Amino acid sequence: MSAVLTKGHGGFEMLEFRNDINVPEPNSNQVLVKVLAAGVNNTDINTRTAWYSKSVTGQTDSKDFQGNDIDGGWAGVPLNFPIIQGADCYGEIVAVGVGVNSERIGERVLVRTMQQYAVEYRPYECWTMGSECDGAFAEFMVAFSEESFKIESDWSAAELASIPCAYSTAENLLERSNVMAGEVVLITGASGGVGSAAIQLAKRRGASVVAIASKSKAVAVKEIGADEVINREDRLISSLEKESIDVVIDLVAGSDWADLLDVLKRGGRYAAAGAIAGPIVELDIRTLYLKDLTLMGCTVQDSQVFKNLIGYIERNEIKPLVSRTYPLKDIVSAQKDFLAKKYVGKLVLLP
């Protein structure tokens, strides 16, 4: 089969498109999925560049820096290269392993990115597709049957593949921070895959959304559903009143991070799942305790998060935001466009 191998941590030279990779075989309780489309995500690039390493302190669009191999994966442990990355998979089950009902063959499925079946559903542990197990940058991949969710929708393959990683991350942020109707939610990095998903999902819950994005993307972000868009080049505390925000959904961090806490109301909640502007921030601990704030990191997802998304799609309560598709062999071009932040929403690879 065709697949993209990631040979190690480093730059784009670590991505090798090949046509001679053996089709994997499903083991017990696994299914073989013919990949119909695979989305591009920050986590794919961050894993390749070892950005998760504590030795890295810069933003995620720095020029293909490389962290330490010993902690380059998101889980802080060495990865076993070569691997097939790809955190988003939409496809069709074409074979099943022992213990899986053969009637599943022919099902169209979305595969959950953060897989807990492999770790017996222990809290705050999981396997990430394309990291601890091979992912969707291939014509075929294996996945656990319990992590492969049947989907019935008239969306295109590319549209469905845009959902798993970005939308589950966004839904998890909103679930963990308990966003409710009538609240005001501030979303950073609002034009990206997770940010644009968070806008839709927050609006679905009845919240008002203040989005931060570049000036050139403000109109597009408004069209997604944001009630107000703030230019990311402007100081936040000059654009918003202090203590005007109930919940911050942060994907950016960076040097202006402290402003996010200043605009939170007393008792407000802050949830993070990214740091594209840089992971090192300065916290005045007095702001945290004097305002009774809650700060939370959001990675591992309760299984209900993905089930929620399946329902939202099938009931057409959200819409896909695919900006461009690429052949799998053009993965380098796709990742370069992703890093350049040329588009609003998602970029998708087609095997």
Side-chain angles (χ1 to χ4, degrees):
M1 67 175 183
S2 297
V4 175
L5 294 186
T6 301
K7 298 179 289 184
H9 292 302
F12 295 116
E13 75 279 359
M14 289 298 174
L15 299 175
E16 182 181 4
F17 178 77
R18 290 173 50 177
N19 294 308
D20 60 349
I21 306 300
N22 291 333
V23 175
E25 295 184 4
N27 294 322
S28 176
N29 299 320
Q30 291 183 328
V31 296
L32 178 65
V33 178
K34 178 179 173 58
V35 179
L36 300 176
V40 176
N41 293 282
N42 256 319
T43 190
D44 304 313
I45 298 168
N46 292 346
T47 296
R48 171 175 56 77
T49 62
W51 181 84
Y52 294 114
S53 170
K54 294 293 187 180
S55 65
V56 177
T57 60
Q59 58 190 13
T60 59
D61 61 357
S62 294
K63 296 293 184 181
D64 271 329
F65 48 69
Q66 182 178 349
N68 293 327
D69 291 353
I70 195 170
D71 64 345
W74 76 271
V77 297
L79 297 176
N80 294 315
F81 293 104
I83 58 177
I84 297 173
Q85 293 186 273
D88 279 334
C89 177
Y90 168 67
E92 178 182 347
I93 295 176
V94 293
V96 298
V98 175
V100 180
N101 191 328
S102 61
E103 291 184 0
R104 294 214 67 184
I105 295 174
E107 282 185 10
R108 297 293 178 96
V109 295
L110 287 174
V111 181
R112 190 158 74 121
T113 302
M114 311 296 288
Q115 302 199 357
Q116 292 179 288
Y117 179 86
V119 296
E120 300 177 341
Y121 295 94
R122 292 189 295 271
Y124 304 109
E125 292 185 41
C126 69
W127 278 7
T128 301
M129 275 177 51
S131 182
E132 286 70 41
C133 59
D134 284 341
F137 292 162
E139 288 185 287
F140 296 90
M141 64 165 282
V142 293
F144 294 107
S145 179
E146 288 198 15
E147 304 284 15
S148 305
F149 290 76
K150 182 179 180 180
I151 183 76
E152 295 181 348
S153 172
D154 59 2
W155 292 9
S156 70
E159 290 171 336
L160 287 164
S162 72
I163 297 296
C165 184
Y167 279 72
S168 66
T169 300
E171 179 72 1
N172 191 45
L173 286 159
L174 297 170
E175 278 279 300
R176 290 273 195 93
S177 56
N178 193 30
V179 170
M180 296 179 288
E183 292 190 310
V184 181
V185 178
L186 175 67
I187 299 172
T188 68
S191 65
V194 179
S196 58
I199 293 172
Q200 285 198 63
L201 293 167
K203 293 295 291 184
R204 184 198 163 276
R205 290 168 179 251
S208 296
V209 171
V210 179
I212 301 176
S214 65
K215 187 175 182 180
S216 64
K217 296 176 181 176
V219 172
V221 170
K222 272 258 190 179
E223 289 174 349
I224 294 168
D227 298 283
E228 180 181 354
V229 181
I230 294 173
N231 184 353
R232 72 181 185 192
E233 303 299 328
D234 295 339
R235 280 297 299 274
L236 186 60
I237 55 176
S238 300
S239 303
L240 287 176
E241 294 184 8
K242 284 191 173 183
E243 302 187 5
S244 60
I245 300 294
D246 294 292
V247 180
V248 168
I249 300 299
D250 188 24
L251 308 160
V252 174
S255 59
D256 294 329
W257 181 83
D259 291 353
L260 298 174
L261 303 194
D262 285 339
V263 299
L264 274 173
K265 295 178 181 178
R266 295 179 180 272
R269 292 99 72 197
Y270 165 94
I276 61 175
I280 309 303
V281 300
E282 185 174 275
L283 168 63
D284 184 335
I285 202 70
R286 293 166 296 187
T287 303
L288 173 63
Y289 76 80
L290 290 175
K291 291 180 66 173
D292 289 289
L293 302 179
T294 299
L295 310 186
M296 62 198 82
C298 303
T299 293
V300 177
Q301 303 164 6
D302 184 87
S303 58
Q304 188 59 45
V305 167
F306 209 78
K307 293 175 183 176
N308 287 350
L309 293 178
I310 297 296
Y312 300 162
I313 294 167
E314 293 187 337
R315 294 190 298 271
N316 284 312
E317 294 177 1
I318 57 176
K319 62 181 181 179
L321 298 168
V322 176
S323 293
R324 188 176 174 186
T325 62
Y326 306 74
L328 180 60
K329 64 181 179 62
D330 291 344
I331 186 171
V332 171
S333 294
Q335 289 194 354
K336 286 181 177 180
D337 284 350
F338 183 96
L339 288 169
K341 299 177 175 61
K342 288 185 176 182
Y343 301 101
V344 175
K346 290 282 291 188
L347 308 180
V348 178
L349 298 166
L350 302 176

